[in-house]
Amino acid sequence: MALWDRIRESASTMQTQLVAKKNDLKSGAFRDASMAICALVAAADGTVDPTERRRVAQLIMNNEVLQNFPADDLQRRFEDNLDKLTADFDFGKVSVLQEIAKARKKPAEARAVIQIGIVIGGADGDFDKDERAVVREACFALDLPPQEFDL
């Protein structure tokens, strides 16, 4: 199986798992961590072009699990995290990883945050090394073993 097919299949499987847990994923910590990881994956290479920003925002708005939260609130949180990352990537990453770590207390939410990061990263069919690296860092922030997610 080609790498692209494995990435697409993995992202699809994780999205299915997320939808199955949708009713358990309603906390503010999950919301904040999810928007933080979306921004971190979008800015993984250190830059975010307007097309990428719109694409990730569209994915967030269309994600069934994230529909538990008001769309304008999600967009504001996503944009705030992106602003931190684009102003100073290294300093912003520390702040964004702290947001992600908010979901650490609930293992199901923590795993769901990582799955959202993988779904966002793999949505274009190319879960590249920079995206994999930031999702791996998020695993450490959440006290989850990256191997669990093939990272």
Side-chain angles (χ1 to χ4, degrees):
M1 181 183 292
L3 178 61
W4 187 83
D5 290 333
R6 283 199 320 264
I7 291 168
R8 190 175 53 194
E9 186 177 305
S10 177
S12 176
T13 299
M14 290 192 181
Q15 180 61 27
T16 301
Q17 291 170 355
L18 284 168
V19 170
K21 294 183 255 178
K22 179 180 178 180
N23 291 332
D24 300 328
L25 302 173
K26 294 182 178 180
S27 77
F30 172 73
R31 176 202 59 214
D32 295 351
S34 295
M35 291 305 93
I37 200 162
C38 287
L40 189 58
V41 169
D45 63 359
T47 61
V48 183
D49 64 55
T51 305
E52 186 174 25
R53 182 179 232 138
R54 280 191 304 274
R55 183 180 59 79
V56 174
Q58 190 76 30
L59 288 168
I60 291 168
M61 296 308 143
N62 292 329
N63 187 296
E64 188 175 340
V65 176
L66 296 174
Q67 290 175 1
N68 283 334
F69 307 102
D72 59 336
D73 187 35
L74 293 177
Q75 182 175 359
R76 183 182 54 76
R77 291 172 192 282
F78 172 67
E79 295 290 339
D80 288 350
N81 284 306
L82 269 184
D83 290 346
K84 291 175 190 173
L85 291 162
T86 54
D88 180 334
F89 184 76
D90 292 327
F91 187 70
K93 186 163 75 167
V94 171
S95 175
V96 170
L97 285 170
Q98 288 173 339
E99 284 292 307
I100 291 169
K102 287 181 176 182
R104 183 184 311 150
K105 292 179 184 138
K106 295 183 179 175
E109 288 185 0
R111 282 181 178 79
V113 168
I114 296 301
Q115 289 173 322
I116 284 175
I118 293 168
V119 167
I120 295 296
D124 62 357
D126 181 27
F127 190 38
D128 67 39
K129 66 178 178 55
D130 293 326
E131 293 167 338
R132 292 176 71 82
V134 296
V135 174
R136 192 177 308 110
E137 286 184 71
C139 284
F140 294 125
L142 292 165
D143 294 332
L144 294 173
Q147 313 81 269
E148 181 180 332
F149 304 94
D150 294 325
L151 299 169

